[in-house]
Amino acid sequence: MPPAQTDTLLKWRSEFPILERKAGYLINNSLGAMPRKARQYLNDYADLWDTEGVVAWHSWLPMVAQTADLLGSILNAPPGTMTMHQNVSTLISVLISGLSFSGRRNKVVLTELNFPSVVYNWMAQRRNGARIEAVKSRDGGLNVETEDLLAAIDDETLVVSLDLVLFRSSGLVDVKPVIEKAHRHGALVVLDCYQATGAVPIDVRALGVDFLVGGSVKWLCGGPGAAYLYARQDLIPDFKPRMTGWFSDAHPFDFHFGDVEYAADAHRFMGGSPSVPALHAARAGYEIIREVGVAAIREKSLRQTSLLMALADEQGLKVNTPRAPHRRGNTVCVDFEGSEDACRRLIEQGFVVDWRPNGGIRISPHFYNSDSECRSIMEAIRELRRSGTLQKMPTGLRAH
């Protein structure tokens, strides 16, 4: 593998102060490092509020569309097809509120590996008539097979809800053929890209996906409170969510009484007032990801995740991540006896990782991480295992 000196992306390390203080910040699948500019942008927010008071809204409100379109430039989304929100759970609820499960077409296809927050929202619709079909994993939870997803879709399918990258294993789902079959049967596809955006190249127009949701906490290095929704342009005019708010209206400052008059663009999914500080923070991460380029990030990730797997194999560790490059995201999950305790001790040593049941320690290098950091954490794991002191953690006690 190429030596770290040839890694041109390491020039970005200085933009992320936490990297100067940690032995290895390798938790990017959970919380990306804070860009230096995020503090500056948050100060700008505070200064504007302090100096302008309520007049600051004239600058803040346009930031919803500006921030959404900035992210849209990473996803190849046309202007006006994306909006920002506070979290994915609420965005899924907004989308569900525009659907009806009362007819023959009432089936929702998802997988048993989807993130629970989204699953809970769909499961709750069973009381409204939804039939849920959860596609099972054949390989013990690493991924789902494309043919199993295709087999689940029929003329009674209303929605297919998929995670592009699976949170527990970092499995990468092959969604293109699924989207194509769903459309042949008149079904919609909602794609959760929380674990993918900023790490895996996504082109919403090439995919033809109907709706896409995600958040900024992870690979986008945008912090919490800045979730996003993409809606396919031709679907927007006829999609009328019942979960709504005054900023979903075409003319919110008319304050008219009566039914909402939906905005012509993705603002109709916006609902109430935006989280303005989160928009300021998220912008810093989006700008860097766009400049670095997701294709370059992905190329480096495939190399570093291959390195981590090879080092895990040398120790005989269980790798709970798909091996094939085209079927994995940017995380490697390793497991062994005492792995949860090892995760806690790694954090004490300055490595920042996390642990998940049935997954193990999740190691997630980003474009600013070095090969030496990958080697160092695997060597630290080797030493902890050699020590003979790792213990099984009591049920309910989890490393963060």
Side-chain angles (χ1 to χ4, degrees):
M1 293 189 179
Q5 302 89 282
T6 66
D7 187 348
T8 60
L9 297 189
L10 291 179
K11 68 182 181 182
W12 291 97
R13 285 181 67 86
S14 61
E15 296 297 322
F16 298 88
I18 196 171
L19 304 181
E20 301 167 5
R21 302 189 298 272
K22 297 294 181 180
Y25 191 85
L26 297 160
I27 193 67
N28 301 287
N29 64 314
S30 185
L31 179 63
M34 188 186 86
R36 192 177 301 277
K37 277 190 176 179
R39 187 182 299 276
Q40 172 193 325
Y41 289 165
L42 286 167
N43 283 337
D44 292 344
Y45 157 75
D47 289 343
L48 190 62
W49 182 13
D50 181 35
T51 58
E52 298 296 328
V54 72
V55 177
W57 278 108
H58 292 299
S59 298
W60 291 343
L61 281 178
M63 282 193 68
V64 177
Q66 292 165 2
T67 306
D69 287 344
L70 174 61
L71 179 55
S73 68
I74 297 172
L75 299 170
N76 194 29
T81 60
M82 295 195 68
T83 191
M84 305 300 297
H85 214 288
Q86 284 83 354
N87 58 71
V88 165
S89 298
T90 304
L91 283 173
I92 291 293
S93 295
V94 171
L95 288 178
I96 287 174
S97 75
L99 302 173
S100 172
F101 303 95
S102 60
R104 178 171 170 268
R105 185 187 290 277
N106 62 358
K107 185 164 77 169
V108 178
V109 175
L110 41 78
T111 85
E112 65 176 356
L113 305 180
N114 283 39
F115 191 75
S117 188
V118 173
V119 173
Y120 299 157
N121 272 277
W122 290 115
M123 290 295 186
Q125 300 313 307
R126 289 180 295 181
R127 65 192 82 157
N128 292 327
R131 291 185 295 119
I132 308 298
E133 181 167 343
V135 176
K136 296 187 178 298
S137 171
R138 297 186 196 178
D139 59 13
L142 299 190
N143 215 328
V144 289
E145 298 302 319
T146 305
E147 52 263 42
D148 293 341
L149 289 167
L150 296 177
I153 300 169
D154 55 27
D155 289 338
E156 296 184 0
T157 304
L158 178 65
V159 175
V160 180
S161 179
L162 297 176
D163 293 5
L164 181 56
V165 173
L166 305 172
F167 80 100
R168 199 186 301 273
S169 68
S170 195
L172 178 61
V173 178
D174 184 14
V175 297
K176 179 67 170 174
V178 179
I179 293 170
E180 291 172 349
K181 183 171 184 184
H183 288 172
R184 288 197 298 272
H185 286 270
L188 298 169
V189 176
V190 178
L191 192 59
D192 183 348
C193 291
Y194 217 134
Q195 285 283 357
T197 309
V200 176
I202 301 168
D203 184 329
V204 293
R205 285 193 261 197
L207 282 175
V209 67
D210 303 299
F211 299 100
L212 179 149
V213 296
S216 307
V217 174
K218 306 179 188 299
W219 304 101
L220 285 168
C221 302
Y228 49 87
L229 176 139
Y230 160 80
R232 210 179 76 206
Q233 202 158 29
D234 60 301
L235 294 177
I236 294 174
D238 296 323
F239 202 92
K240 298 177 179 179
R242 291 185 292 275
M243 184 175 174
T244 187
W246 68 310
F247 283 120
S248 299
D249 194 88
H251 307 287
F253 292 99
D254 285 356
F255 301 104
H256 70 86
F257 175 82
D259 292 334
V260 61
E261 297 175 8
Y262 290 103
D265 61 9
H267 275 88
R268 68 174 52 204
F269 302 98
M270 182 176 163
S273 301
S275 177
V276 179
L279 297 178
H280 281 78
R283 212 178 91 212
Y286 296 175
E287 289 172 351
I288 291 177
I289 297 297
R290 184 173 67 171
E291 188 171 350
V292 174
V294 181
I297 292 171
R298 178 64 172 163
E299 181 181 7
K300 176 173 178 176
S301 170
L302 289 175
R303 178 175 60 78
Q304 288 191 326
T305 50
S306 293
L307 170 62
L308 287 167
M309 287 179 170
L311 294 171
D313 289 342
E314 287 179 9
Q315 296 188 44
L317 308 182
K318 184 179 181 183
V319 175
N320 288 325
T321 296
R323 297 279 182 163
H326 69 286
R327 297 307 306 274
R328 72 172 185 260
N330 293 20
T331 298
V332 173
C333 306
V334 298
D335 205 7
F336 48 90
E337 186 71 27
S339 63
E340 190 174 4
D341 187 26
C343 181
R344 178 182 62 82
R345 298 195 194 190
L346 287 168
I347 292 170
E348 290 173 353
Q349 293 178 26
F351 295 100
V352 189
V353 288
D354 67 4
W355 183 92
R356 289 291 181 270
N358 303 316
I361 299 174
R362 299 193 299 176
I363 307 172
S364 306
H366 210 348
F367 64 97
Y368 42 63
N369 288 116
S370 66
D371 289 3
S372 63
E373 287 172 300
C374 295
R375 294 182 184 280
S376 293
I377 191 168
M378 296 308 296
E379 186 57 32
I381 288 173
R382 184 194 299 274
E383 292 303 316
L384 286 170
R385 294 176 66 236
R386 278 178 176 168
S387 71
T389 60
L390 292 177
Q391 300 177 6
K392 185 175 180 179
M393 300 287 281
T395 301
L397 181 61
R398 293 291 180 248
H400 297 288

